Amino acid sequence: MGGPADIRLHSDLPDRMFTVDEANALIPALEEIFLRLDPKFARMRELRELTDDYEAYYGGGIGEALMVDRDTYALYVRERSDLDRSIQADIDEVLAFGCEVKDLHRGLVDFPSRMGNEVVYLCWQRGEKGVGWWHTLRGGFAGRKPLTPQTER
């Protein structure tokens, strides 16, 4: 069964380079996708707790549990699997735009871009009105710098 480690958050190579305007044009769609993900993450947390409780109680003997407990556990496991696929579909929708998801829960997205001769990331975080930051490919969130009219060229 897939799990959090199986989630694909970015592609290996950028398919496209974004301008600030192109990245900003995607913000409403990204906000909508992250709003869809919120209840899915909440339910996934609930399902993990429920299945963890069953596994802790029965240990490796879930097959020896009462029929109703086995059936309930199996239902939770199936729902988790379905939810994993649904979450990945939402992530794939973001990836289809050509950007990369850096942090699902914070809604952190990077857009490959060119700044002079250098490839950088334009950086947006959920709740920000638009792309106002950039960082080097290795700089990450901690290395974010504000976009200025000079850097946007």
Side-chain angles (χ1 to χ4, degrees), residues 84-101:
D84 270 342
R85 282 191 294 280
S86 179
I87 288 168
Q88 187 62 58
D90 289 335
I91 294 165
D92 288 344
E93 189 175 342
V94 173
L95 297 177
F97 295 142
C99 48
E100 298 180 13
V101 179

Side-chain angles (χ1 to χ4, degrees), residues 1 26 58 76 95 99:
M1 172 173 76
L26 292 176
Y58 287 105
Y76 292 154
L95 297 177
C99 48

Side-chain angles (χ1 to χ4, degrees), residues 24-36 93-94 97:
N24 281 331
L26 292 176
I27 301 300
L30 292 170
E31 288 279 11
E32 179 185 314
I33 293 167
F34 284 113
L35 279 173
R36 267 194 330 246
E93 189 175 342
V94 173
F97 295 142

Side-chain angles (χ1 to χ4, degrees), residues 60 135 143:
H135 60 81

Side-chain angles (χ1 to χ4, degrees), residues 75-143:
L75 179 71
Y76 292 154
V77 169
R78 273 193 305 279
E79 187 178 350
R80 274 181 64 174
S81 181
D82 292 345
L83 205 47
D84 270 342
R85 282 191 294 280
S86 179
I87 288 168
Q88 187 62 58
D90 289 335
I91 294 165
D92 288 344
E93 189 175 342
V94 173
L95 297 177
F97 295 142
C99 48
E100 298 180 13
V101 179
K102 297 299 180 162
D103 187 316
L104 279 173
H105 300 283
R106 287 173 51 190
L108 188 58
V109 177
D110 283 346
F111 302 85
S113 185
R114 288 205 182 278
M115 198 169 288
N117 292 329
E118 185 179 7
V119 175
V120 299
Y121 284 126
L122 301 175
C123 186
W124 173 79
Q125 182 171 310
R126 184 179 185 185
E128 295 174 345
K129 293 192 186 307
V131 174
W133 304 87
W134 71 278
H135 60 81
T136 64
L137 296 183
R138 291 194 168 86
F141 187 82

